[in-house]
Amino acid sequence: MARVAGKVAIVSGAANGIGKATAQLLAKEGAKVVIGDLKEEDGQKAVAEIKAAGGEAAFVKLNVTDEVAWKAAIEQTLKLYGRLDIAVNNAGIAYSGSVESTSLEDWRRVQSINLDGVFLGTQVAIEAMKKSGGGSIVNLSSIEGLIGDPMLAAYNASKGGVRLFTKSAALHCAKSGYKIRVNSVHPGYIWTPMVAGLTKEDAAARQKLVDLHPIGHLGEPNDIAYGILYLASDESKFVTGSELVIDGGYTAQ
Ligand code: NAD
């Protein structure tokens, strides 16, 4: 039996990387999936791939920093598929800079996409899920939301914010009697366009990242997608306000 059969999901930033793998896996496991992303061409390609594999998906153009665009994306989801059961707030950007080298403008850009985007996505999802009788929201934090890094001041702050915001939203939903669960996922380094961009295809820089993971290699998008699938499905019905670390032992050291 498919693990999320009959459910409707929206995944932000799903045109590439972890979001794309998540959209593909949710569709394979029976969900109808809306891919929300800035990148229309990549997003349409992801939809075509899901449909070619026998799944159901649609693309909506979405900038996660834009409240009006979020409302339109949810409206479109409800119009297409009639309900919302799963929301994965995955869109995010990487940014390297210390407390001294990060400008206020860059700081705000990172918070706006990585933190405001998750706040808005959670807010609109709760509203839609209340009407659907419940749901599961999964927010992408990072190992960088659990530990500090001298060169990731803005990114650490945004991902740490996602972690505690998730717990706040989970408690609010539980105490309000909504059947809506909210959890965060904390990946180690996963080989995606984001990490390829960080290492600029430099083999030595990539090896440096590999060495941080006791398991001896970087993760793949599907390693995270399977964790998200568990949190999105009813298999995790007693799990809310929790943080799922998937990092090859990075933070166990
Ligand atoms: P990626 O760069 O490969 O893909 C991100 C997608 O988000 C892209 O399709 C991009 O167009 C989209 N996006 C960016 N800004 C957007 C916006 N404002 N509105 C809508 N869409 C937007 O990234 P990834 O590596 O797959 O990362 C996905 C998430 O996982 C991010 O939140 C990231 O911080 C987190 N994460 C990634 C890693 C990793 O090692 N790759 C580790 C920990 C956490």
Side-chain angles (χ1 to χ4, degrees):
M1 164 93 176
R3 294 169 66 184
V4 284
K7 294 191 189 283
V8 175
I10 185 164
V11 185
S12 72
N16 293 285
I18 292 169
K20 181 176 179 182
T22 301
Q24 286 174 326
L25 185 59
L26 289 171
K28 190 175 151 209
E29 289 295 334
K32 298 183 178 100
V33 183
V34 173
I35 289 176
D37 204 293
L38 282 173
K39 291 187 182 155
E40 183 151 9
E41 206 181 316
D42 290 356
Q44 294 289 9
K45 200 169 153 238
V47 166
E49 285 173 23
I50 288 173
K51 287 190 168 167
E56 177 56 43
F59 174 79
V60 294
K61 183 137 187 176
L62 171 68
N63 181 346
V64 293
T65 67
D66 180 345
E67 187 173 10
V68 174
W70 259 121
K71 287 187 173 155
I74 297 292
E75 237 171 66
Q76 182 70 5
T77 304
L78 297 178
K79 203 168 135 198
L80 278 170
Y81 300 131
R83 53 185 295 115
L84 182 69
D85 306 285
I86 298 164
V88 184
N89 287 304
N90 163 80
I93 57 164
Y95 179 79
S96 291
S98 73
V99 57
E100 290 194 275
S101 67
T102 302
S103 68
L104 180 59
E105 192 187 354
D106 284 341
W107 171 273
R108 285 188 174 146
R109 185 167 51 88
V110 174
Q111 308 315 324
S112 163
I113 297 169
N114 292 4
L115 188 52
D116 298 5
V118 171
F119 161 65
L120 290 172
T122 302
Q123 201 172 52
V124 293
I126 288 172
E127 196 186 337
M129 286 173 181
K130 276 161 68 178
K131 292 180 195 140
S132 303
S136 173
I137 300 170
V138 184
N139 294 332
L140 266 288
S141 177
S142 168
I143 49 167
E144 303 298 348
L146 301 169
I147 55 172
D149 182 313
M151 283 310 292
L152 295 176
Y155 190 75
N156 279 154
S158 69
K159 294 299 184 179
V162 167
R163 172 176 173 266
L164 279 185
F165 164 70
T166 297
K167 293 186 194 302
S168 169
L171 292 174
H172 169 75
C173 290
K175 287 177 183 284
S176 303
Y178 308 156
K179 292 187 181 346
I180 301 171
R181 299 179 295 104
V182 196
N183 293 288
S184 58
V185 172
H186 301 257
Y189 281 86
I190 310 299
W191 191 247
T192 66
M194 176 187 277
V195 170
L198 279 178
T199 57
K200 312 244 183 308
E201 303 195 359
D202 170 344
R206 185 174 174 180
Q207 190 54 45
K208 246 177 147 174
L209 289 185
V210 169
D211 292 344
L212 295 168
H213 300 75
I215 207 161
H217 56 84
L218 300 185
E220 298 167 4
N222 253 342
D223 294 328
I224 306 307
Y226 274 104
I228 295 171
L229 171 65
Y230 165 68
L231 292 172
S233 78
D234 295 338
E235 295 161 12
S236 60
K237 65 183 170 38
F238 195 51
V239 183
T240 197
S242 81
E243 44 197 75
L244 178 56
V245 179
I246 308 173
D247 70 350
Y250 188 122
T251 53
Q253 303 173 85

